[in-house]
Amino acid sequence: MTVTARHTRIAGTGSALPPRRLSNADLVRQLAADGIETSDEWIVERTGIRARHFVDAGVNASDLAVQAARHALEAAGCAAEDIDLIIVATSTPDMVFPSTAAIVQRKLGVQGCPVFDVQAVCSGFVYALTVADAMIRTGSADTALVIGAEVFSRILDFKDRGTCVLFGDGAGAVVLRASDTPGIVATDLHADGRHVDILCVPGTVSGGQILGDPLLRMDGQAVFKLAVGVLESSARTVLERTGRRPDQVDWLIPHQANIRIMQATARKLKLPPERLVVTVDAHGNTSAASIPLALDVAVRDGRIREGHTVLLQGVGGGFTWGSVLIDF
Ligand code: ACO
């Protein structure tokens, strides 16, 4: 009996950014009006961020997710009705419940397939991709839509200059298809709940009221130190699992939080800086959306081509981290 192995391939990518773009200069002016002092120099030197996009009132994560999904479906040559699984990675859902994935499903006009959200903050997309890959390989799905979508502007404290300059809104999506040939070749996920407090939105809704602080809080230096170490070790894990060397990675797409974290990871893996896909300068940190946004940019501008090996790496609140190694 011949057993044909099922694999997962990326059939198409897409992304969406809200039209309202704020350069550092725009944000510096806006913050100064409220007595908060920062500068383009500080933001660029410490983070590499030059601009971010923010949604207008009334636009939710599902709206960005649907735009990104439509672009990914078009790139894959796939109709929304062909989708038999939708996973949305988000920490800024439209509602407490139902899932943003259910809202996306309704907006795409499809019914019946399983849909759910994954909440792993900035690692959400690599978590969602790993789950979708497992469901495709075991035959639970043939064509999956995996989306990272965030409206972090809704949870920023614009009086805290240490965090409000770092984040932006956006969405990225991929269409995954079952295939005889490998696409996703290895995945690696981790979490360490001892670090819940270093990056969190501690508030919650209870009895019709907000209990606790509903805005993003971060110990930036603690996040920085943890991030560099775990990204390197997770990269080595997926490479070792497939018997590959770091120099066989054509493109490294880490979570776009801070250019210094990304460059430090590339240096530790001895990857030349040209192989790093960087969008943090133009998008800021869009949490679960940052990896699929950067992936879509590099696919559409022709950097990522068939035959290339791409390493996606997430790291974020929880503390969570992980990698997905993909042959395109
Ligand atoms: N403008 C000007 N000065 C500022 C600003 C600002 N926007 N923010 C902080 N400062 C000041 C501080 O007040 C402090 O001043 P002081 O020395 O007079 O007290 C000084 O700059 C240094 O502050 P630090 O917080 O120590 O600055 P640091 O060099 O650590 O940079 C940063 C801060 C950029 C947040 C850095 O720690 C970092 O990038 N950490 C990782 C954060 C990250 O990647 N988070 C996301 C990952 S997970 C996720 O995406 C959800």
Side-chain angles (χ1 to χ4, degrees):
M1 189 177 79
T2 318
V3 178
T4 317
R6 274 172 74 93
H7 299 281
T8 307
R9 285 192 72 82
I10 293 190
T13 66
S15 60
L17 288 165
R20 189 156 63 95
R21 176 184 177 274
L22 275 87
S23 67
N24 286 347
D26 296 329
L27 190 59
V28 167
R29 259 195 307 277
Q30 181 183 307
L31 294 174
D34 291 325
I36 309 297
E37 205 182 304
T38 183
S39 67
D40 174 52
E41 295 72 32
W42 192 95
I43 302 169
V44 172
E45 188 198 310
R46 304 285 179 121
T47 71
I49 297 168
R50 294 177 185 276
R52 74 286 294 140
H53 293 248
F54 285 160
V55 288
D56 288 324
V59 178
N60 291 320
S62 69
D63 297 308
L64 299 175
V66 166
Q67 276 182 44
R70 289 197 197 287
H71 292 144
L73 287 165
E74 198 183 337
C78 186
E81 301 75 56
D82 299 337
I83 296 296
D84 56 13
L85 169 68
I86 301 174
I87 308 179
V88 175
T90 187
S91 298
T92 46
D94 291 19
M95 303 181 187
V96 172
F97 72 80
S99 68
T100 302
I103 300 167
V104 167
Q105 186 191 36
R106 178 169 74 178
K107 288 182 177 173
L108 288 175
V110 292
Q111 306 90 36
C113 71
V115 303
F116 56 94
D117 287 1
V118 161
Q119 218 286 35
V121 202
C122 305
S123 308
F125 188 74
V126 294
Y127 266 68
L129 211 49
T130 301
V131 173
D133 172 47
M135 289 180 73
I136 286 178
R137 281 189 295 103
T138 54
S140 303
D142 287 325
T143 309
L145 189 54
V146 179
I147 308 169
E150 301 281 15
V151 286
F152 259 53
S153 58
R154 298 270 154 77
I155 53 167
L156 295 178
D157 177 356
F158 286 95
K159 297 205 163 8
D160 175 9
R161 66 180 182 173
T163 55
C164 71
V165 301
L166 304 176
F167 295 89
D169 302 336
V174 295
V175 172
L176 302 176
R177 270 217 195 97
S179 165
D180 292 340
T181 47
I184 293 178
V185 288
T187 62
D188 176 58
L189 296 181
H190 299 275
D192 185 344
R194 286 176 303 172
H195 304 294
V196 160
D197 296 336
I198 64 170
L199 182 51
C200 55
V201 177
T204 189
V205 177
S206 174
Q209 312 220 314
I210 296 167
L211 288 193
D213 183 353
L215 298 174
L216 184 148
R217 302 296 169 211
M218 179 174 77
D219 177 345
Q221 289 190 5
V223 170
F224 197 107
K225 279 184 207 137
L226 272 170
V228 178
V230 298
L231 288 173
E232 184 197 3
S233 69
S234 182
R236 294 199 184 281
T237 300
V238 284
L239 289 166
E240 275 159 24
R241 267 186 209 153
T242 52
R244 302 187 192 192
R245 301 179 311 272
D247 66 4
Q248 291 174 290
V249 172
D250 295 295
W251 298 105
L252 174 62
I253 309 186
H255 169 47
Q256 309 279 316
N258 182 315
I259 190 69
R260 293 185 295 146
I261 296 177
M262 296 160 62
Q263 287 169 341
T265 307
R267 261 196 314 275
K268 281 172 178 261
L269 295 172
K270 298 201 168 51
L271 277 179
E274 313 81 73
R275 294 203 205 167
L276 194 58
V277 176
V278 177
T279 52
V280 69
D281 54 336
H283 302 164
N285 177 349
T286 57
S287 191
S290 92
I291 295 171
L293 259 165
L295 175 66
D296 186 50
V297 166
V299 166
R300 283 174 193 266
D301 69 19
R303 272 178 289 175
I304 296 178
R305 294 193 304 273
E306 205 171 330
H308 281 178
T309 296
V310 178
L311 176 56
L312 309 182
Q313 294 208 279
V315 61
F319 207 68
T320 55
W321 66 98
S323 303
V324 177
L325 190 65
I326 308 169
D327 286 340
F328 265 76

